Amino acid sequence: MELKCRQGESNMASANSPARATPREWKWTPAEKTAARRAFDLALSRELDAVLCEAKERAARITDAAALWELEGWLGEQRRRIDHDFDYRYSVLPMVFASLLRSGRLTEDDLNGLAPDKLDDLRRMAH
Amino acid sequence: MELKCRQGESNMASANSPARATPREWKWTPAEKTAARRAFDLALSRELDAVLCEAKERAARITDAAALWELEGWLGEQRRRIDHDFDYRYSVLPMVFASLLRSGRLTEDDLNGLAPDKLDDLRRMAH
């Protein structure tokens, strides 16, 4: 419960934790940065593997030109989506991690090394 | 030989056939248009089959994300190349057929139905 009482600098904190730093304002220790980078890279690797696997399956099923250009379009969408979603700026990283938890690309175990209050917030944001 | 003497409207005719219509000025009979469309569609179908086959081979070989985005780029290049090369306007169709003969996407047999003088010109243009 102590965490709920920690003073934050923001006036945007939620009603449940009025003085808590918003995720955008989190301070990351060097060890947390290392853990965050490891989790981020792990999720990106899983995402790319999934797209790669699906691309191969789609390519193998193609029987006409229309489907070939659809594959091109789909690959472009995946590339732009991944470029957009995998944003390592610390200001958006909590939202990225919450989204990855929600989609199953990351588990809480993968985020080991982050402070318990951050994990609490991420868990809430993911649900 | 009569064909070599046919009067064309262009002053761009070659030194070898000063009054012959340039390919751009060819008149196409209805039967020739049918033959041309058939040959064009045949070559386009072969081209698309070749790209489709290569795309499947490339996709099957991919092992990392960089190669995946390369495949996307390659597909885009192929689509733009085919869009550009397969131009059915009658003003450019002789150049298209000559190029297809040169690349082996069409044989002279595929162009059966065109007048002999047109085939002669295409043969020359292809070499």
Side-chain angles (χ1 to χ4, degrees):
Chain A
M1 289 297 104
E2 179 190 310
L3 291 167
K4 284 195 173 177
C5 300
R6 196 170 57 175
Q7 295 298 306
E9 296 169 3
S10 168
N11 56 10
M12 295 176 65
S14 75
N16 290 335
S17 53
R20 187 165 178 161
T22 64
R24 180 175 287 273
E25 298 164 332
W26 283 356
K27 304 299 178 204
W28 300 79
T29 66
E32 283 181 320
K33 289 184 176 180
T34 301
R37 173 53 80 178
R38 188 186 59 231
F40 183 92
D41 288 347
L42 180 65
L44 179 56
S45 166
R46 286 174 179 159
E47 185 67 49
L48 291 171
D49 283 351
V51 171
L52 198 151
C53 183
E54 185 170 348
K56 284 170 175 275
E57 287 179 357
R58 284 174 176 249
R61 285 198 305 266
I62 286 174
T63 58
D64 62 21
L68 195 61
W69 311 139
E70 271 173 33
L71 174 65
E72 183 208 349
W74 180 82
L75 284 170
E77 284 169 23
Q78 300 308 308
R79 183 173 45 74
R80 288 186 291 276
R81 179 181 61 77
I82 291 172
D83 280 349
H84 175 269
D85 289 354
F86 283 81
D87 184 342
Y88 196 77
R89 288 174 299 164
Y90 289 108
S91 58
V92 295
L93 202 50
M95 274 71 84
V96 172
F97 282 155
S99 171
L100 291 170
L101 283 171
R102 195 179 307 119
S103 69
R105 287 278 183 264
L106 282 183
T107 66
E108 291 187 31
D109 281 351
D110 296 326
L111 291 165
N112 262 342
L114 299 192
D117 60 332
K118 287 190 175 64
L119 288 172
D120 284 347
D121 279 356
L122 291 176
R123 200 178 297 118
R124 268 193 295 275
M125 292 161 68
H127 287 296
Chain B
M1 289 297 103
E2 179 190 312
L3 291 168
K4 284 195 174 178
C5 300
R6 196 169 53 176
Q7 295 297 305
E9 296 170 4
S10 166
N11 55 11
M12 295 176 65
S14 75
N16 288 335
S17 53
R20 186 164 177 163
T22 65
R24 179 176 287 273
E25 299 163 331
W26 283 356
K27 304 298 178 206
W28 300 79
T29 67
E32 282 182 321
K33 288 184 177 181
T34 301
R37 173 52 78 178
R38 188 186 60 232
F40 183 92
D41 288 346
L42 179 65
L44 179 55
S45 166
R46 287 173 178 160
E47 184 67 48
L48 290 171
D49 282 351
V51 171
L52 198 151
C53 184
E54 185 169 349
K56 284 170 174 276
E57 286 179 358
R58 284 175 177 248
R61 285 198 306 266
I62 287 174
T63 57
D64 62 20
L68 195 62
W69 312 138
E70 272 174 32
L71 174 65
E72 182 208 348
W74 180 82
L75 283 170
E77 283 169 22
Q78 300 308 307
R79 182 174 46 75
R80 288 185 292 275
R81 179 180 61 76
I82 291 172
D83 280 349
H84 175 268
D85 290 354
F86 283 81
D87 185 342
Y88 197 77
R89 288 174 300 163
Y90 289 108
S91 58
V92 295
L93 202 49
M95 274 70 85
V96 172
F97 281 154
S99 171
L100 291 170
L101 283 172
R102 196 180 306 119
S103 68
R105 287 277 183 264
L106 283 182
T107 66
E108 291 188 31
D109 282 350
D110 297 325
L111 291 165
N112 263 343
L114 299 191
D117 62 330
K118 287 189 174 66
L119 288 172
D120 284 347
D121 279 356
L122 290 176
R123 201 177 295 117
R124 267 194 295 275
M125 292 160 68
H127 286 298

